[in-house]
Structure formats: structure tokens, C-alpha cells
Amino acid sequence: MQDRGRSSMSRYRIATILAAVLATISTGLTPAYAADERIIDIVSVSWTGSVPLPASVNELANLINTEVNASWKVFTQLKGDTQDRAVSFVVGKVLSTPIVLNSKMACMGNDSTEFIRSVRNEAYDRLAINDSSKRYLLIAAPKAGCIWSGRAQIGSSESREGTLVLHDSGDSYVITHELGHTFGLGHTNFLRCENAAYDGPWGETCKAVEYGGIVDVMGNVATNSPLNTYHQWRMGLLDDSQIKQVWQSETLTLAPSDFAEGLRAIYIRDGKSAYWIEYRRTLTGVGYKPGLVIFRMDPPPLTAVVSPNLGSAANSALGMGLSTDVWMLNLDSYRYLNSTSQGGSMSALTATTYSGDVSFSAVPSETGAVVTIKKKVDVTPPPVPPVIPVEQWSSPSMLILKPGYEDADTVITGFESQIDGVVAPLKASEPFRWIPTYLNPFVVPKVLYLRDLPEGSYTFSMRAIDIVGNKSDWSAPMKVVIDRADPVVTNNFALTGVNSKELSVAWKGATDTGSGICQVNLVDEDGLIIQSSAVKNAPAFIVASGTTVAGSAQVFDCLGNGLTGDLSIATTYIAANKSSRTGKWSTAAGFGPGAMKCTGKCTASIGTKGRINIVLGSGAATIALAGKTVASIAEKKSNSLTISASIDVGATKKVVRISGSNFVLVGLASLTTTLGEMKELDRISTINDPSLSDSKQFALAKFGFSADDFSQEWSVLPMVRGTTLEDPTLDLCSGTFTSEQNRIQRRQVTATKIGSTFSFLSTEVVKYSSSGAASAAQKELAKVLAQCQIDKGFKDPKGALLSYNFKELKNILADVASEDNRVFVYAVIDTNERARTLLGFYQFNGDTFTGLYVMNTEGFSDAQVAKWLKVAVTMAMRLKG
């Protein structure tokens, strides 16, 4: 039996079994359950013309209660364990009548994923189980032409649920293996070298043979042999203290892989390769000799993967993260061609890595093995720390070393500084949200944040120290100024520009005597940035005349020290033609609507209150309040507007008179601001998006969401496969869209944060092969929407209606794409606890499409809909360039 799906760290990866083999687990066992008892419900599916199942749902129930249950008790019950950590499986409810599908079960892709989702929902509806959060579901399907025998969602050690699909099989081993994936386990694979070597670099000679490491159940041959210790670790059956990460020569005693106590595994890095070593003792019914079993941990490149499933290779690029898979070395006589042609022992008492720099030797016993590791002494210093240029230092929480800095064979554990020539230890921090890698899964490396540097002005250089004490050369000296003080923020604003539609407002009260003010944001309740100013020491906002802009203000200095508090800016504007006037006046051209020109001596009177500014287009004037001159405006030689000093009229409405000769009065503007209590908020460093190094992705990024659209607690990053054409763009109402084949570039990002009220918030940008292709896509989308509105939803693979309750979008703004270049959707999808509300804004311009998708489970108020319509306008403006 073989799985078709390669592993990854994704919690939701689908693993697949290709060909069934006979299980060797004995039959006739009576159910015996452990403290950790897990429930599996069973349903079957059929369709017109489908053949009978090879095993009935009741027969499958018997297999689970006996063989599957017995196997997982063996795998999770370790010798000498003082805790009852054994896992057992018991059948819960069985649906005797098949769920009838409209068409044959899909084998791969999004249709297959949708099949699993929809059948699970239908199954628990029919089984009358409201809460399925801690239940497993087995879906038994007849022969559908798939190359696999089973599928399961990758879970984790904490998960207690999952969905398994059994395809044309009644084999208990298929179920047993697939349950392993629900615990977060990948495959036990095989490293096979064509030159008969047992280890080597991934490439043409040494390949990664999927499923070929049949030392345990996560290969593709039935066995009661213990799980490898890496998979035990992922399940939580051994903790970090039972694994030793070795950096230098050392002698250790390893307990057998099926023991609960003692040191259970050794991890060692050799350059860019990594190894996991365990000891296997003599056990009845296994095909290996007592000795060391070694697994490679560094994932192979796509070109080195040998898999019966081509889709597997397409998903095997894991980056630096820890894989769910391992790749077993053949240290003895092991051979593997496929699940029916394999055998021999893979263990040995000695081994050497392909570099020749690390060797292992073991003296075995029934209770353990004394393992001697000899490693070439590391005398190579770390590379010189690549310090980021000072002008790019912008946040106390930013790392000041360039990404990717690491030691060639060990790990950086400390730093030293040279400040004005004085050498001293430099505070080193653990990285925020450190993610273990296959080169370093256990020792948290040390990093240097801007906040780790001492305050002051000085010449700075640094060097790194690795775990064995090697020191790098010094970095180049640089002059730095480290400022820890927060900005000074007061409620002091000034009008700097006026026209009939909007006012420009400068925040004079945002100052910083250290590094200066570099960034000011105004953020709404969802974290969307309403306005932002990056003009150093001169933050300013634009406010539409007669409106109020309000939100949370964020004020940051150039090193990222910051403050935040509630801010409201309200403006009014009264044009000169709304005043009471004496003298000779005429319309003033070139100064905007409502501006008036005085010829000779004139007076204009305007009733108002609060703080105001008088705006002149040319000439000079005096300003009087209650008969007393309170301000004057001198004539300027330039043609720019002149704005008076702020005048406090008071809370009661009074008449303001503007008098002069031969001047242009533009109008009167008032500004009211309120500022709440300011609290500390340091700027955090932005998350690196490596996709933007691609020129095509960089070009697409300007049309959709970016990190600059959101407050700093949000992350805006591409979805999985979001920079590829692997996933559909137009999937509304499960329609058919032939235009998908005309896409040539795609970028879809999601905006996420902890505690977000949105279940999905995303933008998608697509380049089509031509404007005609994009236009065809819009027409297809409109047609599918119209039919979905008539049908009030669409039928899923099992024939059930997935309801869409469409709502009217009111007050659509004029600046969105024209009606024949857009499709807007406002709908409640599904019912009851599965209901979610979608706002979808699909807009086209030429050969380019942008989609804005907003979804939650609570529905949207009219104000929220209006806000997202404004965001749709922003997307339309970006689309138009």
C-alpha cells in the first residue's frame, strides 16, 4: 500500500494511499481500549453505476475495533511507561445507508477537498451529531478510478479529529496508516543511492523514495514495529529532554526506540545535512537486526523525489522548516523496489555520513546501546555579522542583522560589541516566534534586536560567537545614535492648505528631539489605515470639507519608539460667496469655487464659532472679532494661498469681519481636534515577504492589499499557492470558468491577525493573456452569479443545496469599476452554525483583475458594508493606475 501525498508542515495537508496490501495484524482480537479513547464514525458513499464496496461499513467497524485499535495501542504503549499514554480507537456511529452523490467521487484537487468537506457535514447531519469536533470520520468509497486507497488530513499531536477516505479497500492497514497522518505524522521514506552507498547528497545518484522506509507503519507495508522516534516525538510520546543535539564528539547511551524512559534519539548536523539516530533492539516479527537506524532530516529537492504520485513531488519543497517526513538510510542489506518487493535489515552498529566528518559506532544490549559519535573538530569562525545599514533602522523590535545569517556547521550563541573601541559582551536575545528548522530543531539561536543596543551616540561594531566558542571577525565600524525616548505628542494642529473639497492639516504637536518623527498613522476599528504620513517631522492629514476623520493615531519616531491614542479631526469650510459683503466684489477666477475678489475697499462678514482660519488668495486684510482687530494677513508676492493664524472665536457664534482693499477672499475654515490619552506603542518590524523579490509578483502587489494598508498587528502575506496558477480564481457558487486557462499571472494575499473578526480577508490580482480574456472572465462570472441567484445557491457533490441568501448592495460609489467591468456579491452562505457572510468585489480593467473578499460569521452592518465599498473604490483606483 502506498500514500500519494507528500508531507509538509501544513496542518491540512492531504496524504494518500496508492495500492492496498494485506495486513499482517492478527484477527479475532476483542476490543481493548486505553484511557485516550478516540471515536471513529463510519459512512459510505455511492453514485449511479458505482460498484459494491469491498467491505461493508459493519465489517470496517469490526476492523477498527480489533486490528486498528490493537495496532495503535502497540504503537503508543511504550515499555516501562509510568503513564497510560496508549491510544485506542472505538467505533461510534455507523450510517448503514450510503450517501448518494450526484457524480463519481473526485480523486484529486479542490474538488476532492470539497468532497471531503461536504460529505463530513452531511454525515454528521444524518448521524444527528451536533458537535463533531472530537470525532474521526471514515468515508468508505467504492472504486472511482483513483490511484490511491486512502486519504487523511494531516493533524497534530493535539488534534482529536480528522476525516479519512477509504477508496475501494477493506484493509485495516490503510486505516491504521491514515490515522497516523491525523496525529501529524508524515511518511517514513527511503534514501536510495544508485552507487550502492548508504548516504549521499540529494541529486542524480541519491534519491528520496517515498514510502520506502518500511521500518514502521508510516512506510507502505503493514508492520507492528514501533514508530520511529521522530514520529514519537511529533506525537508527544517523548519530550525534548530525551533527544540530544550533538555538536562535538561525544559518547551517549541510547535507550531502545520502544522504551519510554532514557535518551531516545540523537540529532546531529553535518554541514547542510541533518541526521536523526535511534537504537532498535531485537523484537519478534520485525525484519531488522538490533542496531542503529539513521534518518536524514534535510528534505530533498523536487528533482530527487521518486514517488508513484506526481502530485507528491509538486508539494515537497519545505524550505527550512521541519518536515513531517523522514528519509531512512540503508546501513545493511535492505532493499526496496515497491511495497511488494522489499526486505532485509536497514540497521547497523557503525556508520559514517557522506562527508566523512561524522561517524557513529554502537555497542548494543537488550536495554540500550552505547553510541560513540566522532565529529571533525569545528575550528571555522562564523561569518562576519552582516549589520543592516543604520539608515534602515526603524523599530526597536527589528533584527539588525540581515536575514539568513548563520554559522556554517553549528549555531550562533552570543555576540560581543566594540563601542568606541571598548570590547564588551553584547546582550543577545532569543528570536520572536522562533520556528525550529531541520538544521537546528532544538537550540534556539541568538539574535540581535535594535532594542538590545545600549542608548547613546557612539561608534559601533560587533562579532559573533558560535556554540563551540569560535569568534567571527569584527563588522565594519558605524556611527549610531540610539534613542529610547518616546515622541512628544500634544493636541496642536494647524491648517496648511484649503480648497472647496478638502483641508490639509499639519500635526504640529507631534515632535521628537532625538531621531525625529518618521511615521504617523490613523487607524480604524478593524486595523485598516485611514491615512498615513511618512514626511519626516511634518506629519499631515487630508480631511474632506465638512467631515470628521477619527480613529487611533499612531506616532512613531525614526527608531520606532511610539505612542498611540484616539484622535478626531473635524473640519468646516465656508466659501467667501457665502459671506455678507460690502463694497465691490466679483467672482475670483483661479482660486476655486466660491472665491471672491474685492476691488477697492471691502468688508466680508461670516458668523461662526470655535477655532478658525481665514484664507486669502491674494492681497492683505485685517480680521476683527466683536469690533476688535484680532489678526492681520500681510500681502504675499507669490500666488499661493495665505492662511491666517488660528483665531479662537469661542463656543458662542460671533461675527468675524475681514476688511481690506484689492484682495481675494477664498473662505473661512475651521478645525476642531480631540486627542485622547496616549499610550506607548513601539513599532514592530515588518514581516519579510520573499515573494516580492520576484519582479512579476512585485508588479502585481501594487494592485491588492499590502502591509501598508493595515496597522502593524496585521500580517499580509501570500496564501499557500497564492503566487501560482494552481488554485482557481473564479470559484463563485462552484461554477465552471473556462477563462481560468487564460490566466498568466496571479497573486493572492490574506490579511490576518490574532483575534480578527474576519474568517477570510483577502485580495487577489490576476493578469489574463489579453483584455478579451479578462472580459470573458467577467461575463462568465456574471452569468454564474445570475444562475446562483435564481437557484439560491448550488448543489454540492452529494446533491445537497448549499444555500446563498443574496442581499442588495446599496449606495455603490461612482468610482468603482463600471458595471460591465465588475461583479459585486453580498450573500449569506449556508445556514445555522455553518453560515458565513461574503462581501466579494470583483473588478476588471484591461487584462487585469482584482478581487476583494471579505468574510465573517456575524454578518455586516450597513456602516461596515459602506466601509468595504470605499475599500473597493481604493482597489478600483489602483487597478486604473
Side-chain angles (χ1 to χ4, degrees), residues 751-764:
T752 59
K753 75 165 185 174
I754 297 173
S756 170
T757 59
F758 303 101
S759 51
F760 190 61
L761 182 57
S762 173
T763 58
E764 185 172 16

PDB file of all heavy atoms in Angstrom, residues 751-764:
ATOM      1  N   ALA A 751      -4.980  38.873   4.746  1.00  0.00           N
ATOM      2  CA  ALA A 751      -4.664  39.728   5.892  1.00  0.00           C
ATOM      3  C   ALA A 751      -5.150  39.010   7.142  1.00  0.00           C
ATOM      4  O   ALA A 751      -6.328  38.654   7.245  1.00  0.00           O
ATOM      5  CB  ALA A 751      -5.343  41.088   5.752  1.00  0.00           C
ATOM      6  N   THR A 752      -4.241  38.774   8.078  1.00  0.00           N
ATOM      7  CA  THR A 752      -4.584  38.018   9.282  1.00  0.00           C
ATOM      8  C   THR A 752      -4.005  38.687  10.514  1.00  0.00           C
ATOM      9  O   THR A 752      -2.981  39.375  10.449  1.00  0.00           O
ATOM     10  CB  THR A 752      -4.045  36.578   9.214  1.00  0.00           C
ATOM     11  OG1 THR A 752      -2.609  36.626   9.052  1.00  0.00           O
ATOM     12  CG2 THR A 752      -4.652  35.815   8.054  1.00  0.00           C
ATOM     13  N   LYS A 753      -4.678  38.494  11.631  1.00  0.00           N
ATOM     14  CA  LYS A 753      -4.124  38.893  12.917  1.00  0.00           C
ATOM     15  C   LYS A 753      -4.794  38.049  13.991  1.00  0.00           C
ATOM     16  O   LYS A 753      -5.885  37.480  13.779  1.00  0.00           O
ATOM     17  CB  LYS A 753      -4.344  40.377  13.194  1.00  0.00           C
ATOM     18  CG  LYS A 753      -5.768  40.744  13.591  1.00  0.00           C
ATOM     19  CD  LYS A 753      -5.836  42.138  14.203  1.00  0.00           C
ATOM     20  CE  LYS A 753      -7.246  42.449  14.705  1.00  0.00           C
ATOM     21  NZ  LYS A 753      -7.317  43.724  15.419  1.00  0.00           N
ATOM     22  N   ILE A 754      -4.157  37.955  15.141  1.00  0.00           N
ATOM     23  CA  ILE A 754      -4.742  37.230  16.267  1.00  0.00           C
ATOM     24  C   ILE A 754      -5.990  37.972  16.731  1.00  0.00           C
ATOM     25  O   ILE A 754      -5.965  39.179  16.960  1.00  0.00           O
ATOM     26  CB  ILE A 754      -3.722  37.104  17.412  1.00  0.00           C
ATOM     27  CG1 ILE A 754      -2.518  36.280  16.961  1.00  0.00           C
ATOM     28  CG2 ILE A 754      -4.367  36.482  18.654  1.00  0.00           C
ATOM     29  CD1 ILE A 754      -1.383  36.239  17.972  1.00  0.00           C
ATOM     30  N   GLY A 755      -7.095  37.258  16.843  1.00  0.00           N
ATOM     31  CA  GLY A 755      -8.340  37.866  17.299  1.00  0.00           C
ATOM     32  C   GLY A 755      -9.125  38.572  16.223  1.00  0.00           C
ATOM     33  O   GLY A 755     -10.084  39.294  16.519  1.00  0.00           O
ATOM     34  N   SER A 756      -8.776  38.377  14.949  1.00  0.00           N
ATOM     35  CA  SER A 756      -9.502  39.016  13.860  1.00  0.00           C
ATOM     36  C   SER A 756     -10.953  38.560  13.841  1.00  0.00           C
ATOM     37  O   SER A 756     -11.265  37.394  14.103  1.00  0.00           O
ATOM     38  CB  SER A 756      -8.847  38.675  12.517  1.00  0.00           C
ATOM     39  OG  SER A 756      -9.660  39.091  11.438  1.00  0.00           O
ATOM     40  N   THR A 757     -11.853  39.483  13.529  1.00  0.00           N
ATOM     41  CA  THR A 757     -13.274  39.143  13.420  1.00  0.00           C
ATOM     42  C   THR A 757     -13.616  38.578  12.044  1.00  0.00           C
ATOM     43  O   THR A 757     -14.753  38.173  11.812  1.00  0.00           O
ATOM     44  CB  THR A 757     -14.142  40.388  13.669  1.00  0.00           C
ATOM     45  OG1 THR A 757     -13.803  41.402  12.707  1.00  0.00           O
ATOM     46  CG2 THR A 757     -13.922  40.922  15.070  1.00  0.00           C
ATOM     47  N   PHE A 758     -12.637  38.566  11.146  1.00  0.00           N
ATOM     48  CA  PHE A 758     -12.877  38.075   9.795  1.00  0.00           C
ATOM     49  C   PHE A 758     -12.431  36.620   9.673  1.00  0.00           C
ATOM     50  O   PHE A 758     -11.328  36.259  10.087  1.00  0.00           O
ATOM     51  CB  PHE A 758     -12.124  38.917   8.764  1.00  0.00           C
ATOM     52  CG  PHE A 758     -12.469  40.377   8.816  1.00  0.00           C
ATOM     53  CD1 PHE A 758     -11.631  41.288   9.443  1.00  0.00           C
ATOM     54  CD2 PHE A 758     -13.655  40.838   8.271  1.00  0.00           C
ATOM     55  CE1 PHE A 758     -11.948  42.622   9.509  1.00  0.00           C
ATOM     56  CE2 PHE A 758     -13.987  42.186   8.329  1.00  0.00           C
ATOM     57  CZ  PHE A 758     -13.143  43.073   8.951  1.00  0.00           C
ATOM     58  N   SER A 759     -13.291  35.798   9.097  1.00  0.00           N
ATOM     59  CA  SER A 759     -12.881  34.424   8.813  1.00  0.00           C
ATOM     60  C   SER A 759     -12.036  34.363   7.553  1.00  0.00           C
ATOM     61  O   SER A 759     -11.271  33.412   7.352  1.00  0.00           O
ATOM     62  CB  SER A 759     -14.101  33.512   8.677  1.00  0.00           C
ATOM     63  OG  SER A 759     -15.043  34.041   7.765  1.00  0.00           O
ATOM     64  N   PHE A 760     -12.148  35.386   6.701  1.00  0.00           N
ATOM     65  CA  PHE A 760     -11.323  35.445   5.493  1.00  0.00           C
ATOM     66  C   PHE A 760     -11.285  36.895   5.043  1.00  0.00           C
ATOM     67  O   PHE A 760     -12.319  37.547   4.908  1.00  0.00           O
ATOM     68  CB  PHE A 760     -11.904  34.559   4.399  1.00  0.00           C
ATOM     69  CG  PHE A 760     -11.004  34.368   3.200  1.00  0.00           C
ATOM     70  CD1 PHE A 760      -9.758  33.777   3.343  1.00  0.00           C
ATOM     71  CD2 PHE A 760     -11.404  34.767   1.938  1.00  0.00           C
ATOM     72  CE1 PHE A 760      -8.926  33.589   2.249  1.00  0.00           C
ATOM     73  CE2 PHE A 760     -10.582  34.583   0.835  1.00  0.00           C
ATOM     74  CZ  PHE A 760      -9.345  33.981   0.988  1.00  0.00           C
ATOM     75  N   LEU A 761     -10.090  37.418   4.820  1.00  0.00           N
ATOM     76  CA  LEU A 761      -9.902  38.783   4.331  1.00  0.00           C
ATOM     77  C   LEU A 761      -8.748  38.727   3.341  1.00  0.00           C
ATOM     78  O   LEU A 761      -7.614  38.444   3.729  1.00  0.00           O
ATOM     79  CB  LEU A 761      -9.605  39.738   5.485  1.00  0.00           C
ATOM     80  CG  LEU A 761      -9.424  41.215   5.138  1.00  0.00           C
ATOM     81  CD1 LEU A 761     -10.643  41.772   4.418  1.00  0.00           C
ATOM     82  CD2 LEU A 761      -9.139  42.030   6.400  1.00  0.00           C
ATOM     83  N   SER A 762      -9.043  38.995   2.080  1.00  0.00           N
ATOM     84  CA  SER A 762      -8.051  38.700   1.051  1.00  0.00           C
ATOM     85  C   SER A 762      -8.250  39.588  -0.168  1.00  0.00           C
ATOM     86  O   SER A 762      -9.358  40.067  -0.444  1.00  0.00           O
ATOM     87  CB  SER A 762      -8.178  37.226   0.640  1.00  0.00           C
ATOM     88  OG  SER A 762      -7.365  36.904  -0.468  1.00  0.00           O
ATOM     89  N   THR A 763      -7.161  39.804  -0.904  1.00  0.00           N
ATOM     90  CA  THR A 763      -7.248  40.371  -2.247  1.00  0.00           C
ATOM     91  C   THR A 763      -6.527  39.441  -3.207  1.00  0.00           C
ATOM     92  O   THR A 763      -5.578  38.742  -2.830  1.00  0.00           O
ATOM     93  CB  THR A 763      -6.623  41.775  -2.349  1.00  0.00           C
ATOM     94  OG1 THR A 763      -5.243  41.721  -1.959  1.00  0.00           O
ATOM     95  CG2 THR A 763      -7.379  42.782  -1.511  1.00  0.00           C
ATOM     96  N   GLU A 764      -6.980  39.453  -4.441  1.00  0.00           N
ATOM     97  CA  GLU A 764      -6.397  38.612  -5.488  1.00  0.00           C
ATOM     98  C   GLU A 764      -6.207  39.460  -6.739  1.00  0.00           C
ATOM     99  O   GLU A 764      -7.090  40.234  -7.104  1.00  0.00           O
ATOM    100  CB  GLU A 764      -7.306  37.423  -5.774  1.00  0.00           C
ATOM    101  CG  GLU A 764      -6.740  36.425  -6.763  1.00  0.00           C
ATOM    102  CD  GLU A 764      -7.599  35.166  -6.864  1.00  0.00           C
ATOM    103  OE1 GLU A 764      -8.759  35.200  -6.402  1.00  0.00           O
ATOM    104  OE2 GLU A 764      -7.112  34.167  -7.394  1.00  0.00           O
TER     105      GLU A 764
END
